[in-house]
């Protein structure tokens, strides 16, 4: 599932075998595949700070990237936190990215709180039926965000909140199927973690690469979908450190 910082669901993968890991599932995700190939969202332009010849410059990038865990492929479009690093700048940047990645976990809890059919184990067996339920619940969730005014950007003062972000998103013991009772002790019913695990091997890379191009005005521009993960992530870390030193870090709206 792909969400933005306002917890709006932007995309979701169709049903797949439970034995598949994230690296296999993502190969069948049409949204991520189209982003990787530059077929969608390739018109989004942003700039990152970096040091060149002792001066701070802003370099233009085109495309988008998503924050993921370490169970995905090593691509610039799927950016995981650092799993093994001893550098303070990487640790600090990674901690901020990890806190933002929790948006998708919050979304899981909210839609489980909204819809009872998602609050306990799925009792349907047909993949098509589960896909229909997921799509309907996701669409209704997005509609309710608009109705409740929770889709509005944060203005830096008023923080929109939802009543479904609290205890209503937790499992109630009487709603848990017997099969789950056999697997989880009562103390674990409210605390089990269904996030993915794994590691991502980051390949070596050319510090500059050969993906620099020019836009219509002749300005340097880099295509995110053509960059290696290691190179793009190094640019993100350098940008974050520059913004941090300038005291310009703000929470996204």
């Amino acid at each position: 599932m792909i969400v933005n910082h306002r917890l709006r669901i932007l995309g979701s993968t169709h049903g797949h075998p439970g034995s598949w890991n994230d690296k296999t599932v993502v190969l069948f995700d049409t949204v991520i595949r189209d982003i990787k190939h530059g077929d969608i969202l390739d018109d989004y332009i942003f700039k990152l700070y970096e040091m060149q010849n002792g001066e701070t410059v802003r370099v233009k990038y085109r495309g988008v990237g998503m924050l993921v865990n370490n169970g995905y492929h090593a691509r610039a479009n799927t950016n995981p936190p650092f799993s093994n690093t001893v550098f303070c700048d990487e640790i600090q940047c990674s901690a901020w990215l990890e806190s933002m990645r929790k948006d998708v976990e919050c979304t899981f809890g909210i839609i489980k709180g909204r819809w009872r059919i998602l609050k306990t184990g799925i009792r349907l067996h047909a993949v098509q039926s589960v896909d229909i339920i997921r799509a309907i619940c996701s669409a209704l969730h997005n509609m309710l965000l608009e109705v409740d005014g929770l889709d509005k950007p944060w203005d830096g003062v008023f923080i929109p909140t939802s009543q479904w972000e609290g205890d209503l998103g937790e499992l109630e013991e009487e709603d848990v199927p017997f099969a789950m009772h056999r697997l989880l002790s009562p103390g674990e019913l409210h605390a089990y973690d269904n996030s993915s695990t794994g590691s991502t091997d980051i390949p070596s890379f050319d510090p500059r690469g050969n993906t620099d191009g020019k836009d219509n005005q002749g300005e340097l521009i880099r295509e995110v979908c053509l960059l290696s993960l290691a190179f793009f992530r190094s640019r993100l870390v350098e940008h974050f450190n520059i913004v941090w030193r300038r005291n310009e870090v703000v929470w996204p709206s």
Side-chain angles (χ1 to χ4, degrees):
M1 182 175 290
I2 304 173
V3 305
N4 63 14
H5 190 55
R6 294 185 291 278
L7 308 185
R8 184 179 184 86
I9 299 174
L10 306 178
S12 181
T13 311
H14 59 76
H16 55 270
S19 59
W20 288 8
N21 59 24
D22 291 340
K23 286 189 176 180
T24 303
V25 174
V26 76
L27 296 176
F28 298 89
D29 191 304
T30 56
V31 176
I32 295 182
R33 185 171 64 235
D34 290 345
I35 290 176
K36 174 181 178 291
H37 294 157
D39 296 331
I40 61 175
L41 300 177
D42 61 332
D43 56 345
Y44 184 77
I45 304 295
F46 62 97
K47 293 183 178 181
L48 299 179
Y49 287 115
E50 68 176 58
M51 298 297 297
Q52 292 185 6
N53 300 322
E55 297 183 356
T56 301
V57 299
R58 298 185 71 186
V59 178
K60 185 183 293 186
Y61 291 78
R62 178 163 49 213
V64 297
M66 291 163 287
L67 301 179
V68 299
N69 58 32
N70 281 287
Y72 286 77
H73 297 278
R75 298 169 179 167
N77 297 116
T78 50
N79 200 329
F82 289 91
S83 57
N84 296 292
T85 181
V86 295
F87 299 104
C88 294
D89 55 349
E90 294 180 348
I91 293 174
Q92 180 174 252
C93 180
S94 183
W96 277 70
L97 293 180
E98 285 187 79
S99 66
M100 292 183 59
R101 194 186 65 80
K102 301 305 181 186
D103 288 340
V104 70
E105 309 296 344
C106 293
T107 305
F108 291 150
I110 291 173
I111 62 175
K112 285 171 62 179
R114 288 190 189 276
W115 317 118
R116 181 172 291 272
I117 195 170
L118 300 179
K119 204 169 187 180
T120 60
I122 294 294
R123 308 187 186 197
L124 301 177
H125 300 287
V127 175
Q128 294 82 357
S129 299
V130 176
D131 281 343
I132 292 173
I133 292 174
R134 170 191 49 78
I136 293 175
C137 291
S138 298
L140 291 175
H141 166 77
N142 288 344
M143 292 171 60
L144 289 174
L145 287 180
E146 297 176 3
V147 171
D148 296 338
L150 299 178
D151 63 322
K152 302 294 189 299
W154 179 44
D155 59 7
V157 179
F158 175 73
I159 302 178
T161 57
S162 170
Q163 61 177 323
W164 303 102
E165 293 179 352
D167 295 340
L168 291 177
E170 295 183 352
L171 290 173
E172 297 176 6
E173 189 169 349
E174 61 270 20
D175 292 332
V176 180
F178 177 72
M180 291 183 65
H181 271 293
R182 292 191 302 172
L183 296 174
L184 302 173
S185 65
E188 294 175 322
L189 291 177
H190 290 230
Y192 70 96
D193 182 9
N194 59 358
S195 61
S196 302
T197 58
S199 60
T200 300
D201 296 326
I202 308 301
S204 58
F205 68 101
D206 181 350
R208 284 295 163 188
N210 56 358
T211 58
D212 294 354
K214 302 289 184 179
D215 60 10
N216 295 333
Q217 289 74 38
E219 184 179 357
L220 172 67
I221 188 169
R222 294 173 179 153
E223 302 284 347
V224 176
C225 63
L226 300 180
L227 301 175
S228 68
L229 171 60
F231 175 75
F232 183 55
R233 192 156 64 167
S234 69
R235 300 304 94 197
L236 291 176
V237 171
E238 185 172 20
H239 169 81
F240 180 84
N241 288 334
I242 293 174
V243 175
W244 178 270
R245 290 194 299 268
R246 294 183 174 187
N247 197 28
E248 297 176 356
V249 177
V250 295
W251 201 250
S253 60

